[in-house]
Each structure stands twice: as structure tokens, then as C-alpha cells.
Amino acid sequence: MATDCRGPLSILLITSDLMVSSRIAGAAAGIPATVASVGPAAEPGGGPFDVIVVDLEAGRRSAADLVGRARRSAASQAELRPARIVAFGPHVAVERLAEAKAAGADLVVTRGEALQSLASVVSRVRSGPSPG
């Protein structure tokens, strides 16, 4: 994936899983992208972000709550840079994945797809219709 004039992409990852954080950061290096990871209750620092990736297994929150949090983060930086939201979860959590889509995630994928094909996922979400 090519970068634009701003340099590497910036990704905010909302997760409570250190293994997920490590795998996403490793995959992002090949995009190239930088990753800032925060827990589901923490306020993100840094930014603005191009893509906000939400682990639907983060904490004990509903998918709608997690995606809503990502939407608020995206809205707070919209004048600087519009961010896209990707939500991911286990392939067997069909209702949770559907809840994330209904809550406004731009793209919803399985956990395996997010962890194994991050570059493709980021490319797909960035090539979709403009957010907001």
C-alpha cells in the first residue's frame, strides 16, 4: 500500500489484548503505518489517525459501545483528517459483528482476517466511501 504526502498511515488500535496489539503493530510495519494502542476505557493520545481498529473482544463492553467510542474519536479529529473504522471479532460471533456494522463501523472483518491480512483490510476500508 502506498503512503501519501503525510507519510506513513496512522492507526489507533482499541484492544485489551497484548498479543493482538503486538500482531497488529508487526503487520502495520509492512504497510507502512504507525500504531497507537489503547485499552477500551483509555482516552487515545496522539493522532490524528487514518484508521481506527476496534477489537470487539476488548473489555466487557458491547460492540455498539466500542464502535461508538471509535466514532467519537474519529469525529473529534474530523477537521484534521477523516478516520475510517474497522471492527473485528471472532468469526463465530455473528451477532456481535452485525452489531458493530449497525453501530457505524465502516468495515467489519473476522479476527483472523484482521490479524493475517491487515494491509488488505486497511486498503479496503480506505478505498470505500468517505466517512461521515
Side-chain angles (χ1 to χ4, degrees):
M1 169 180 282
T3 59
D4 59 25
C5 61
R6 295 180 305 233
L9 294 175
S10 182
I11 297 173
L12 172 63
L13 172 63
I14 300 173
T15 188
S16 55
D17 186 326
L18 293 176
M19 291 298 291
V20 166
S21 184
S22 177
R23 288 184 67 185
I24 293 287
I31 292 176
T34 60
V35 178
S37 294
V38 297
E43 287 300 318
F49 301 101
D50 297 292
V51 179
I52 301 174
V53 179
V54 181
D55 178 356
L56 296 176
E57 293 190 298
R60 298 186 181 264
R61 296 177 171 212
S62 71
D65 184 48
L66 290 166
V67 172
R69 180 169 181 271
R71 276 270 158 239
R72 288 186 296 280
S73 291
S76 72
Q77 66 158 43
E79 287 186 22
L80 299 172
R81 185 181 309 170
R84 299 298 184 81
I85 298 173
V86 174
F88 72 90
H91 71 278
V92 296
V94 176
E95 290 179 10
R96 196 156 172 84
L97 296 171
E99 181 184 359
K101 186 65 177 171
D106 297 303
L107 180 64
V108 178
V109 297
T110 65
R111 179 181 177 94
E113 187 174 0
L115 297 179
Q116 295 170 14
S117 304
L118 182 65
S120 173
V121 168
V122 168
S123 178
R124 283 174 37 210
V125 75
R126 293 192 79 225
S127 66
S130 296

